Amino acid sequence: MTLPDTAANAAGADRTFQVDLRGLVDLLSHHLYSSPRVYLRELLQNAVDALTARHGLEPAAPTGAFGIRLYADGSAVRVEDDGVGLTEADVHTFLATIGRSSKRAVGVPPDEPVRGWGRIAEQRGDFIGQFGIGLLSCFLVADEIHVLSRSARTPGAPAVEWRGRGDGSYTVRTLPASARPRPGTTVTLTPRADAGEWTRPAQVHALARHFGSLLRHPVTFDDGTGGPGAPVNPEPAPWARTYPTPGSRSRALAAYGEEVFGFTPLDTIELDLPVVGLKGIACVLPEAVPAGRRHGHRVHVKGMLLSEQAEEILPDWAFFVRCVVDAESLRPTASREALYEDDTLAAVREALAEKLRAWIARAAASDPDLLGRFLRTHHLAVKSLAVHDDEILRMLLPWLPFETTDGHTTLDEFARTHRTVLVTSSVEEFRQVAAIASAAGLGVVNGGYTYDRELVHRLPEIRPEVSVADLDPATLTAHLDPVDRETELAAAAYLARARDALAVFDCDVALRTFQPASAPALLIDSREARHERTRSQLAREQEGGLWGDILGALRQEAPRAQLILNQLNPLVRTAVTIDEPELARTSAEALYGQAALLSRRPLRPAESSLINRSFLDLLAHALRKDS
């Protein structure tokens, strides 16, 4: 802990900040770390860094010569390593000064971003810790930290004991080398009564497995019962092992993904970016997820678990996978529970995105069964990618499923029977016209879903023989057959009364013949047309004011809705012969209401009222007739 300089009392002299350690620990526990459990990760992390430095001093030492031993019996938690150790000067410098780290890269400013792949290798550090505050996390579970260390840099170096307390005080003393026969460091915590949840032997072992299962140095755990220490990380990461066949490797990676994430992957994608020392797997989810829902990914840095919720490692469109990776050069935040957003992370994110694109391309080229299962499950994710990726568009657009007047089918199959493809602008519009368009032989695709309309319009890029156009009311009505002149004249009086009844909805009425004959009427009324009519109505109501002038400037010729009556339908043929004015009006309102309901768009209050009123009027007429 840095103490105030006594000479600073002189007038005008520089003064040194004093730190309230209890307040700082409270800040860490409530704002920096997500849980007190991180104390064990920080202890493991310091031990791993010490081992890394020891290997730097003794590069000829065999693999596994130095390790980490954990001990917890309920009354104490101890972490012992065979690392480089500390001298008395190191203890004063690094354990008693908050914010200073013994692991900063020499000559590299700590906050300088990495720009481009060329600089990444230059800043690949060998240490996990970067901030020098990790040991303070131990005060989340203990009031005193005891450190016993002996440096490996100096033969015969004495042991050094440091005791730090939560009130901000500490003591240091030098002990004979026999106090710690081998170089390294032992950190001992005496847990507080309220920290039992995090310091019980079973919990310490579980936390060690959770954070350190991929560490490259051997780690063992002893619960004080006298048995041999249990290995915390008995095997290397699954992607670092050798397998007899590619099939056995693929099965092992899938089994690991299932163990980590709890689902059987549709497939596993190996991730390997040597320039940043990143390896891992991406597991393709076996079930669809909502568009834009981002999953947390499991990220290790140099074997130590950093986060299980690292959304930023992959782009937004990659919500069909969850990945687990171990990287050398990704930079953690101060809490070491998330990734620091810098140029390195951006480059890694793009490189991993390219790995996912390459997997889709391989499936399209060599495994149509896998591709089919993937697209049936994750077509929305692929559509979001295809909108912005021309290569994926060319590869997969013909195979993506769409809702059409021929049912759910691929654009490739749909284009074989429809050289002109019409696309609606909304789901509502598609539902209004689907049955009529299908009977008329028109090929219509529902463009109301996310990405669909934009993708359908790009179909001619890969199928030049196909033309695509937006569906408008004129296109559809042009395919409805007119009735003969005599029928039109006979129905003129009824049509006039119907237009008068529906004028309040800006709706015209026409008589045509179309299939299916079971459909009595078709209401053609787009969302844009309704909005334009609403705006025109507001302009008329506000005429003369500033708001009315603004709306008037925006006003266009308001398109009218169209109620197309089907002369092939028996009910319509009966209705157009009605002579009684009120009954004719009621029947026209009822036909309009039924057509509006079939369109499955939200009803306006006036339309709901009309449907109720016309039903009751027709019921009353039927009862009077029967009586």
Side-chain angles (χ1 to χ4, degrees), residues 249-383:
R249 180 180 182 85
S250 178
R251 288 190 293 273
L253 294 179
Y256 180 73
E258 184 172 4
E259 176 187 346
V260 170
F261 295 123
F263 61 82
T264 302
L266 188 67
D267 196 20
T268 55
I269 307 164
E270 286 208 54
L271 307 174
D272 187 6
L273 301 177
V275 73
V276 289
L278 183 147
K279 289 181 177 292
I281 57 172
C283 298
V284 182
L285 292 162
E287 297 179 350
V289 294
R293 176 182 173 184
R294 301 187 67 183
H295 288 287
H297 305 289
R298 191 178 178 93
V299 176
H300 299 251
V301 175
K302 301 177 182 69
M304 184 71 71
L305 178 64
L306 180 78
S307 174
E308 296 176 279
Q309 299 297 325
E311 297 179 351
E312 62 274 14
I313 194 73
L314 289 180
D316 292 348
W317 56 259
F319 52 82
F320 57 89
V321 297
R322 295 189 70 183
C323 69
V324 51
V325 299
D326 185 21
E328 295 287 333
S329 298
L330 292 178
R331 180 182 175 190
T333 59
S335 66
R336 289 190 282 274
E337 295 184 330
L339 292 172
Y340 188 83
E341 188 67 48
D342 58 10
D343 291 347
T344 301
L345 180 57
V348 166
R349 185 163 49 236
E350 181 53 38
L352 292 180
E354 187 57 37
K355 295 284 185 182
L356 300 184
R357 292 188 188 97
W359 174 81
I360 294 175
R362 285 195 303 273
S366 60
D367 197 337
D369 179 62
L370 173 61
L371 178 67
R373 287 185 286 122
F374 170 66
L375 290 181
R376 284 193 294 272
T377 304
H378 297 295
H379 59 271
L380 186 58
V382 177
K383 286 178 179 179

Side-chain angles (χ1 to χ4, degrees), residues 455-490:
L455 288 173
V456 173
H457 272 286
R458 298 190 66 180
L459 181 61
E461 296 178 27
I462 55 176
R463 294 287 185 271
E465 71 278 8
V466 177
S467 62
V468 176
D470 287 325
L471 178 70
D472 58 42
T475 303
L476 183 61
T477 54
H479 285 77
L480 305 180
D481 295 327
V483 297
D484 59 69
R485 185 170 181 78
E486 289 75 13
T487 302
E488 182 82 34
L489 289 174

Side-chain angles (χ1 to χ4, degrees), residues 21-196:
L21 187 59
R22 291 189 185 278
L24 182 57
V25 171
D26 182 71
L27 179 67
L28 295 179
S29 63
H30 290 94
H31 299 285
L32 186 63
Y33 295 125
S34 61
S35 164
R37 68 176 185 167
V38 299
Y39 84 92
L40 190 66
R41 183 196 64 196
E42 298 295 336
L43 290 177
L44 282 173
Q45 182 168 288
N46 287 340
V48 169
D49 287 337
L51 291 177
T52 302
R54 179 77 181 272
H55 277 288
L57 284 179
E58 304 175 38
T63 302
F66 308 130
I68 303 171
R69 293 165 294 282
L70 304 179
Y71 176 90
D73 64 356
S75 61
V77 176
R78 186 167 68 244
V79 179
E80 180 179 336
D81 67 68
D82 300 319
V84 71
L86 299 170
T87 65
E88 183 177 357
D90 291 336
V91 167
H92 285 289
T93 302
F94 300 122
L95 296 188
T97 304
I98 295 175
R100 180 175 296 177
S101 172
S102 62
K103 300 177 280 288
R104 293 206 188 280
V106 177
V108 179
D111 297 321
E112 181 181 342
V114 180
R115 293 179 176 85
W117 291 107
R119 292 288 309 282
I120 291 174
E122 299 176 13
Q123 293 195 7
R124 281 178 61 174
D126 293 326
F127 304 104
I128 303 172
Q130 296 178 31
F131 298 95
I133 61 174
L135 196 63
L136 290 181
S137 66
C138 295
F139 286 122
L140 300 176
V141 297
D143 287 326
E144 182 175 282
I145 304 170
H146 176 257
V147 178
L148 182 63
S149 187
R150 180 181 169 193
S151 176
R153 292 189 174 92
T154 306
V160 181
E161 180 189 65
W162 179 87
R163 290 183 183 273
R165 290 169 287 276
D167 61 4
S169 64
Y170 71 94
T171 59
V172 179
R173 64 176 180 154
T174 301
L175 303 176
S178 59
R180 199 183 196 288
R182 296 190 300 175
T185 301
T186 301
V187 180
T188 304
L189 308 179
T190 301
R192 291 196 307 270
D194 62 354

Side-chain angles (χ1 to χ4, degrees), residues 580-590 609-625:
E580 185 180 340
E582 284 305 315
L583 182 58
R585 182 185 183 92
T586 300
S587 66
E589 291 175 340
S609 176
L610 174 140
I611 292 171
N612 292 331
R613 186 179 68 252
S614 62
F615 170 76
L616 294 175
D617 287 350
L618 287 175
L619 180 61
H621 176 80
L623 292 176
R624 286 196 304 270
K625 184 178 180 181

